[in-house]
Each structure stands twice: as C-alpha cells, then as structure tokens.
Amino acid sequence: MGGHLNINHLMFLGQGALWTIGLSVIALIGGGIVGFVIALARISPLKSVRIASAVYVQLIQGTPLLVILFLGYFGLAAVGLKVSPLVAAGASLTLYVAAYLGEIWRGCIQSVPKPQWEAAEGLALSRTQRMMKVILPQAIRIATPPTVGFMVQIIKNTSLASVVGFVELMRSGQIVNNSLFEPFAIYAIIAVTYFAMCYPLSLFSQRLEKRMGRGRSNLAPA
Amino acid sequence: MSLQLDFPAVLERWPSFLAGAALTLELAFFATVLGALIGTLAAVGRGSRSALIAGACKVYVEAIRNTPLLVQIFLVYFGLASLGLKFSAFTVAVAALTINVGAYTAEIMRAGFEAIPRGQIEAAEGLALSRLQIYWHIILLPAIEKVYPALTSQFVLLMLASSVCSQISAEELTAVANYIQSDTYRAFETYIIVAVLYVILSLVMRAGFWGLGLVLFPRRRRLGTPL
Amino acid sequence: MQQNSSPSEPIVSLRDVQKSFGPLRVLDGVSFAVQRGEVLALIGRSGSGKSTALRCIDRFEKVDGGEIVVCGHRVDRPDVDLRALRQDVGIVFQSYNLFPHLTIEQNITLAPCAVKGMGSSQAKDLARKVLAQVGLEEKLHAYPEQLSGGQQQRAAIARSLAMQPKVMLFDEVTSALDPELTAEVLKVIEQLAADGMTMVMVTHEMGFAKGIADRIVFMHRGKVHETGPASILNSPTTPELTQFVGTGNLKS
C-alpha cells in the first residue's frame, strides 16, 4: 500500500503549512480592514448604516464558513470571473473575518468606559477627533487579547479552503494521503502542525488577557 | 459580465433541502446533548484534586481548541476505520462534533463554576453537604444560568460547523447543496438558499434555547433578573 | 470517634491553638471553652484573629497546632468527620450566603433532605417552623433577592437552625447590615439564647454582647488577653482591652 512517509512528503506538508499562514495573514489583513469599517458602521450615528452593517454581520455569522466559501467560489464564477482558489478563498475569508472582527471590535469600542466618551465631548473634540485620539487608542488595548485569540480561529478556518481546492496544509495532507494511504498517521501529523501554530497564539492571548485584568485597575477613576 | 439566476429550478428541490436541514438539526441535537454532558464532566474534572484527572482534562480541551474541526473529523473517521469499526457517517459525525463541542463547553462551564461566590460554597459546606451535593445543588444550575448566552451561542456555532460533516458524506444540508448544485448546474442559487436556511435554523435553535431557559431557570422566569 | 459530652465537659474547647497564614501568625496559643447552653462573645480589633478562631471551630480553617474539641469531635485532626461535625455545628456568615437560585423554603429544606435524608413534606413542615421562629413565615416562597438584608440574615439563621445543631456560630452577622435592620437580627439571636442554644459569636455590638453574653473573650494579636463575664467591658484589667473599649471600636 503506497510508499513510506519521506522527507519529500514532509516538505510538501511544510509548504502547505506556509500557505496556511499566508492565507491566514491575507484573511487577517483584509478582514481587519473591512472589519474596522464594519465596527465603526455598527456605532454610526446614521440609523441606516447601523442597520445595514448589523444585517451583514447577522447574515455572515448565521452562515457556515463552508457555504460562504462555496458562494465565493461559485459566485465569482457565476459573474464570469475566473479566479484562482487562493483569490476565491481569500475573498470569502475576508468577508467572514470582517463580520467577526467587526463585532469583537465594536464590543471593545463600546466597552471603553463612558466617562472617557464624556470627557472627550467635554473637551469640544469633534467626533473624528474623539475617536482617533481618545476612544480608539483605548479600544485597541482592550481589543488586543480577543483579536489574538481570533487569529487562532482564522488559522483553523483556513483548513476549509482545502474544499475549494486551495492547497494549504489540509489539502497537502489529502494529496500526500492519495499516494501513501496512511490517513490516520498523516492527519495526526497535520493536527500536531496546526496545534504547533495555534497553541502559542492561544497562550499569548491568555497572557494578554491576564495582563489586561491587572492593567485595567490603573484606569479606574480616582 | 452577466448574472443569470434561476431560483425556481433549484427551489423545486425543496424536499431534499428539508431532509438535509432535518439531518443538520438532528446532528446538532445529539452533539449538543452529548457534548454538554462531556463538557460539564471535563469542567468538573479540571477542578479535581487529582493532578492526573485535571491534567487530562486540560490536554483534551487544549488539543481540541487548537486544531481545526475538519482535521478532527478525519481523525475520528479514519481512526475508527483503522480499528476495524464500521459506523454510519451520521454516527461518526456525531462523535466528532461531540468531542469538539465538549472541549468548548468545558471552558465555558469552567468560567461559570468560577463565577459562583466562595461564600455560597462555604455556606453549603457549613450545612454538611458533600462535595458532590454541592456541585449538583449549588454550583451546576447557577453556573449554567450565568453562562447560558455563551452556551447558546456555542451550540448554534456547532450547528453551523456541522456543515463540515459533508466532507465525510453525512447527508446534512451542505452535502445536499453540493449534490443539488452539481445536478442543476445552479451553484450560486443553491448556496444562497442554503445560507438562508442556515440562518433560519440558527433562529430556530436560539428560540429553542430561550424556551429551555424558561424551563430550567424558574427564578429568572418569575423575577426576570439575572443571577 | 464521637461521644456525647457530659454536662460538666465543655461542648466547645480550644487549647493552645496555633495558626499562621504564611509568615503571619494569626492565632498564637488561643485557649477558651464554651459550656452547654452558654453564650460566648469573641471581641477584638480587625486582625486580632477572632474570625479565624471561629472559623477553625467549624474547620473552615485548618489549625497548625493545638487542640480543638467540638461536640466530641477532634477538629484539629485531619481525619475529622466533617459531615458529622457540621451537622452538630451551625454557622451564620456576615454576608448571609443564601443560595440565590432557590426559594427560601428550598434554601432551608436542602440540607435536611440531602444530608439527613428527611422526607420532602417533613422538611417543608420544618422549614415553616424555623421560619416562624425567626418571624419570616410569609417569605416561604420568596427568593433571597426579594428580601431585605435583615430578612436574609434571619433566613440564613433559620436555614442553620433547620439542621438542629448543638452549637451555633455567628461570624459578625450584623456587620453588613444597616443599623435599622440590625435590631431584628439581634432579637432573633437573643431569643435563641433564651431558648438555651449554645452560641459563639464574633461581634462588634458591645451593647448586645453585654446584654446576652454569659462570657466575653477579648482577643488581641492572636492571643486571648482577657476573658470573663460581660462586666469586664466596664472594668477592663489589661491595657489593650481598656484601649479597645475606650476608642469606640464597639457599637454601644
């Protein structure tokens, strides 16, 4: 039954792992930019903008990522665009990540203590200035642990890009398995690889969270 | 660049969609019940005085939370097959989903346990209740009530994640969609319909959990206040 | 191993009890005894060790040295039967600690049913009885959050009473209450004392201590400085107690 796992297979898997990281970064950056817009839209003074962004978030969060990936893949084809699996997966993941990061960041912006909003208003800063100089810097501090935690989700979610043909770690494993026929061993290796990528981030996120808990008490009013 | 959509051609397949949705709910139901049980046991195990049990539970939780569901499903599928056990795709899917959601539930329940004030546990000890009785009467239900929104969200996410089971040929909603789109050549319409169906399923699940909450938490039903 | 204490033996006795929290010596050779039916008040500054001593009696803190005998149980030993001890000893806390998700009736019937195997209807009758004892019969089906602080504390006392303990411990039970709610709780405790319950209470209520305590134990920096009948508060013999009584540490 097939050959044995050799260094070439491992290098192929390693390449897949690199593409996993690459796709994760694309999703994080793309999703981060769009997500930032969504977060601001969710707290916009304009009701129509608030509702539109809320609908977007609800739709994305109510749909499985796999279905979103299929929609991206077939949808782009339906409008006549021939795109590579990387672009299709990247676009779908961007939309997906944007919804979740947008919600996380909205929550963080809104959890900046009310006295801060009022102090900024009291200093006659415009809305933009309030956001840029007072609220967002503090929101970024609050948002860092959950954002790092969500990066773990992104890395795990890239595994679904394999289903639309993008050759990341999961798909590399399937390809290797097609010649070796040792599925359990191969997927065990893949699981360990994902763990090696995700666990340090998880620990980092937890450490940030603990440090946040300590640091916050310094922000309490006198 | 033209977009010609033909929804009626796909909508006439509604019996298949319905069957797929029903199976998705079935998968979600079994995995939720079993996963909630395992998760609660793992959360209790995390607090065990035995370092072995506490450590084993931590390893379980961290291993699951840091690997993708797709990999876990394949490991369960091929693992069972290599042991010579033949199970239906449905059973394998439930097993993998249960193991997965159990780990996330354990973390949520652990947070719930830790939110119970120490004073209440001391009062229970002062009344000569045993450790097990304290968990059952004093800790469990209030902890569930405190983390109920997080639990509900987790189980809805589980139902959405069940779409991944299409990859091992469980005939849930996404698998049905894959089949229909390859049959009708109307992929975009198919997945739009399925997306809408998933959103509806999410709402149905949330409504179900809300009703369950009314049954489980009589104090909240009467007084309307959070714990 | 548990024997019923004979009338002449104290029902609670502490002998040379030591306890440290890390480098901090909280109890430094504490000794006192409580006779059956006696009411003992433990007073002292914050940090004197009085609450710790009380908690040691019901094994909420483990002692590092010395001997504690409660209703025949050797509490200082690691193999003490906690379940039996806590059926003999009832404890009421400063923050009442009622179970918020249960009604008052359920709060009271929980332990008798779960620990003593009492039947449900028998337990409900008991609940009614003890609530009447503390003047709260009408609150049977209310939830703790619907009661005032004083009512919650009285309900907590009823909950402990339902287990029919031989000794009741009170850990600053009125310190968290507004002054106008304190009186109703003190009245209940007074009635319990009159009914012959053996009690050890940590309290700041000097007037109350003078009124119902048979004996006062004044603690300072982990040691017992003075002990005697309530009159020692009027004529303290040690400088520490003199200072304590004089500086308004207690509510008269």
Side-chain angles (χ1 to χ4, degrees):
Chain A
M1 261 292 185
H4 282 298
L5 192 68
N6 61 43
I7 192 72
N8 288 322
H9 295 126
L10 288 178
M11 285 194 59
F12 188 63
L13 290 181
Q15 213 178 357
L18 286 177
W19 277 113
T20 288
I21 296 175
L23 182 58
S24 303
V25 170
I26 291 173
L28 180 65
I29 294 178
I33 294 172
V34 180
F36 184 63
V37 172
I38 301 282
L40 291 179
R42 291 279 280 125
I43 57 173
S44 158
L46 289 168
K47 192 166 184 171
S48 55
V49 173
R50 284 204 308 272
I51 293 182
S53 52
V55 166
Y56 171 79
V57 168
Q58 284 300 308
L59 282 178
I60 299 285
Q61 290 193 337
T63 310
L65 175 58
L66 194 52
V67 174
I68 296 178
L69 278 165
F70 284 143
L71 276 172
Y73 185 74
F74 291 109
L76 291 172
V79 297
L81 289 170
K82 288 221 91 195
V83 290
S84 68
L86 173 61
V87 173
S92 302
L93 277 173
T94 292
L95 290 179
Y96 182 80
V97 169
Y100 284 88
L101 275 185
E103 269 306 277
I104 291 174
W105 289 347
R106 174 189 67 87
C108 294
I109 293 175
Q110 288 182 323
S111 69
V112 174
K114 217 158 173 17
Q116 294 290 316
W117 293 84
E118 293 171 349
E121 270 190 68
L123 290 167
L125 296 170
S126 76
R127 190 178 163 84
T128 317
Q129 287 173 324
R130 284 205 295 271
M131 289 301 289
M132 293 296 293
K133 295 210 177 286
V134 178
I135 303 300
L136 285 180
Q138 295 187 55
I140 288 174
R141 265 198 76 215
I142 299 172
T144 308
T147 303
V148 173
F150 189 70
M151 289 203 270
V152 174
Q153 300 301 319
I154 295 178
I155 293 176
K156 292 191 291 179
N157 283 327
T158 58
S159 63
L160 292 184
S162 61
V163 180
V164 294
F166 179 61
V167 182
E168 40 63 71
L169 180 57
M170 194 67 193
R171 188 105 190 93
S172 317
Q174 288 169 328
I175 292 173
V176 168
N177 186 44
N178 284 338
S179 67
L180 285 185
F181 298 107
E182 289 285 345
F184 191 77
I186 291 169
Y187 290 118
I189 294 173
I190 288 178
V192 169
T193 312
Y194 274 111
F195 188 82
M197 289 192 275
C198 293
Y199 192 53
L201 275 177
S202 295
L203 285 179
F204 185 48
S205 166
Q206 282 165 27
R207 183 140 26 106
L208 284 175
E209 198 119 18
K210 276 196 207 122
R211 217 183 298 161
M212 275 291 316
R214 279 205 301 268
R216 286 267 255 161
S217 51
N218 300 332
L219 292 175
Chain B
M1 186 164 103
S2 63
L3 187 66
Q4 275 165 338
L5 295 178
D6 182 10
F7 276 96
V10 183
L11 282 171
E12 68 181 9
R13 302 295 194 102
W14 65 267
S16 302
F17 283 126
L18 222 59
L23 207 89
T24 292
L25 276 181
E26 253 189 271
L27 277 177
F29 176 76
F30 283 109
T32 297
V33 170
L34 293 170
L37 212 69
I38 292 193
T40 304
L41 286 174
V44 172
R46 284 292 284 265
S48 167
R49 276 171 290 214
S50 152
L52 192 67
I53 296 181
C57 292
K58 184 166 165 77
V59 166
Y60 162 57
V61 169
E62 293 299 337
I64 297 294
R65 279 159 52 96
N66 289 289
T67 50
L69 175 59
L70 189 56
V71 177
Q72 292 165 16
I73 289 181
F74 280 10
L75 279 174
V76 172
Y77 183 77
F78 290 114
L80 288 175
S82 72
L83 289 174
L85 299 164
K86 277 229 111 226
F87 288 117
S88 69
F90 182 83
T91 309
V92 174
V94 170
L97 288 174
T98 297
I99 295 173
N100 182 271
V101 83
Y104 291 94
T105 303
E107 276 302 278
I108 295 173
M109 290 300 293
R110 194 165 71 99
F113 291 166
E114 283 170 10
I116 304 292
R118 178 114 199 96
Q120 275 166 45
I121 300 182
E122 284 198 338
E125 289 173 342
L127 291 167
L129 290 166
S130 73
R131 211 174 137 81
L132 207 65
Q133 286 173 328
I134 294 178
Y135 257 114
W136 182 255
H137 291 285
I138 307 301
I139 296 182
L140 204 58
L141 268 181
I144 294 177
E145 188 175 342
K146 279 189 215 271
V147 298
Y148 201 62
L151 280 178
T152 303
S153 293
Q154 192 58 59
F155 294 134
V156 172
L157 278 172
L158 171 72
M159 182 274 294
L160 295 177
S162 69
S163 65
V164 179
C165 298
S166 56
Q167 299 305 303
I168 56 167
S169 314
E171 285 162 28
E172 43 68 65
L173 189 53
T174 304
V176 165
N178 291 341
Y179 171 71
I180 290 180
Q181 69 91 5
S182 70
D183 204 40
T184 63
Y185 296 98
R186 298 253 141 238
F188 196 66
E189 295 90 319
T190 305
Y191 290 116
I192 292 274
I193 290 172
V194 158
V196 170
L197 282 174
Y198 271 112
V199 171
I200 293 175
L201 285 178
S202 310
L203 292 172
V204 166
M205 270 190 89
R206 284 193 186 273
F209 274 108
W210 176 79
L212 182 65
L214 291 178
V215 169
L216 281 178
F217 312 125
R219 186 203 63 92
R220 203 188 176 129
R221 191 179 64 230
R222 264 179 61 188
L223 301 181
T225 50
L227 200 57
Chain C
M1 191 186 63
Q2 188 226 332
Q3 332 107 316
N4 292 320
S5 15
S6 57
S8 54
E9 264 177 47
I11 195 171
V12 176
S13 112
L14 279 76
R15 252 201 285 266
D16 197 32
V17 172
Q18 321 269 343
K19 168 113 193 113
S20 302
F21 285 120
L24 188 66
R25 182 62 79 87
V26 174
L27 296 178
D28 194 6
V30 172
S31 303
F32 60 83
V34 187
Q35 302 294 332
R36 187 186 294 274
E38 198 179 17
V39 175
L40 188 103
L42 268 177
I43 64 174
R45 292 213 143 85
S46 322
S48 58
K50 55 191 195 301
S51 270
T52 308
L54 190 82
R55 285 164 63 86
C56 285
I57 295 175
D58 205 9
R59 204 37 163 59
F60 281 102
E61 306 286 353
K62 294 193 196 132
V63 299
D64 299 325
E67 185 192 85
I68 302 182
V69 185
V70 179
C71 302
H73 302 282
R74 280 292 301 272
V75 178
D76 53 290
R77 285 229 265 258
D79 60 350
V80 63
D81 185 350
L82 283 180
R83 212 168 157 88
L85 170 68
R86 284 156 179 183
Q87 291 181 61
D88 287 335
V89 178
I91 181 165
V92 184
F93 302 91
Q94 185 174 345
S95 44
Y96 351 120
N97 293 332
L98 289 172
F99 306 130
H101 59 293
L102 300 177
T103 61
I104 299 297
E105 182 185 53
Q106 289 165 337
N107 260 275
I108 297 176
T109 57
L110 174 61
C113 291
V115 178
K116 292 187 167 172
M118 198 180 279
S120 165
S121 53
Q122 195 186 356
K124 288 184 181 168
D125 288 335
L126 177 61
R128 248 187 303 262
K129 202 182 86 181
V130 291
L131 275 183
Q133 220 177 326
V134 303
L136 282 175
E137 317 89 272
E138 75 277 11
K139 298 292 183 189
L140 204 60
H141 298 295
Y143 284 100
E145 69 194 84
Q146 296 173 298
L147 272 54
S148 74
Q151 290 170 328
Q152 288 189 50
Q153 195 60 297
R154 286 189 279 149
I157 295 174
R159 181 177 63 174
S160 288
L161 283 177
M163 289 296 278
Q164 292 159 329
K166 304 194 176 86
V167 181
M168 286 279 280
L169 307 177
F170 295 90
D171 192 357
E172 302 208 36
V173 299
T174 54
S175 297
L177 295 175
D178 293 330
E180 60 264 23
L181 298 173
T182 302
E184 63 191 65
V185 176
L186 295 180
K187 214 161 66 111
V188 166
I189 299 179
E190 197 173 10
Q191 184 60 50
L192 276 180
D195 292 340
M197 173 65 76
T198 312
M199 304 199 291
V200 183
M201 63 171 88
V202 171
T203 183
H204 287 304
E205 300 284 336
M206 173 161 96
F208 187 68
K210 267 206 273 200
I212 76 161
D214 297 310
R215 270 192 315 124
I216 307 248
V217 169
F218 169 67
M219 284 184 64
H220 182 77
R221 299 236 189 113
K223 287 191 179 3
V224 174
H225 263 247
E226 266 193 72
T227 156
S231 54
I232 65 169
L233 290 175
N234 294 327
S235 31
T237 54
T238 58
E240 289 84 2
L241 182 55
T242 311
Q243 191 179 33
F244 182 70
V245 172
T247 51
N249 265 294
L250 305 175
K251 303 177 191 170
S252 7

